[in-house]
Amino acid sequence: PPEFVRLIKLQKLYLSRNQFTELPSFFGTLQTLEELFLNNNRITDLSEVVKLVHLKVLNLSSNSLVQLPHEITRLSNLRDFD
């Protein structure tokens, strides 16, 4: 929902087990997000995730990813990746 863009101090977000196939375009605006849990979905596209440059923890396990985009290297603060 568009209300997410108002969450300017959001640091952790758990969206596991929701059957998501993609993330909405507003997702890249969550610039304070440090921990994101998207495991056990059906995600195939990470174009919004790679915009979250402050991410420290990212869980994408059990999704439908074939390969990681080169842009994932922009997440230089990432310390825990699954």
Side-chain angles (χ1 to χ4, degrees), residues 9 16 18 21 29 34 42 46 56 63 71-72 79:
K9 294 185 180 186
S16 303
N18 282 291
T21 57
T29 64
E34 294 182 356
R42 296 181 179 171
L46 296 177
K56 294 178 181 176
N63 274 286
E71 293 84 6
I72 199 98
R79 69 181 193 317

Side-chain angles (χ1 to χ4, degrees), residues 3 7 13 35 43 47 52 57 65 74 78:
E3 293 81 20
L7 302 174
L13 186 56
E35 298 184 24
I43 296 171
S47 58
L52 303 172
V57 176
L65 294 165
R74 293 181 191 160
L78 202 59

Side-chain angles (χ1 to χ4, degrees), residues 10-53:
L10 185 67
Q11 293 183 315
K12 285 185 184 181
L13 186 56
Y14 293 86
L15 294 173
S16 303
R17 301 182 190 274
N18 282 291
Q19 305 297 318
F20 292 134
T21 57
E22 61 183 26
L23 299 173
S25 60
F26 69 81
F27 222 78
T29 64
L30 302 174
Q31 290 299 306
T32 57
L33 204 59
E34 294 182 356
E35 298 184 24
L36 179 57
F37 297 86
L38 293 169
N39 48 302
N40 297 296
N41 283 291
R42 296 181 179 171
I43 296 171
T44 58
D45 179 24
L46 296 177
S47 58
E48 290 303 309
V49 173
V50 297
K51 296 176 184 177
L52 303 172
V53 295

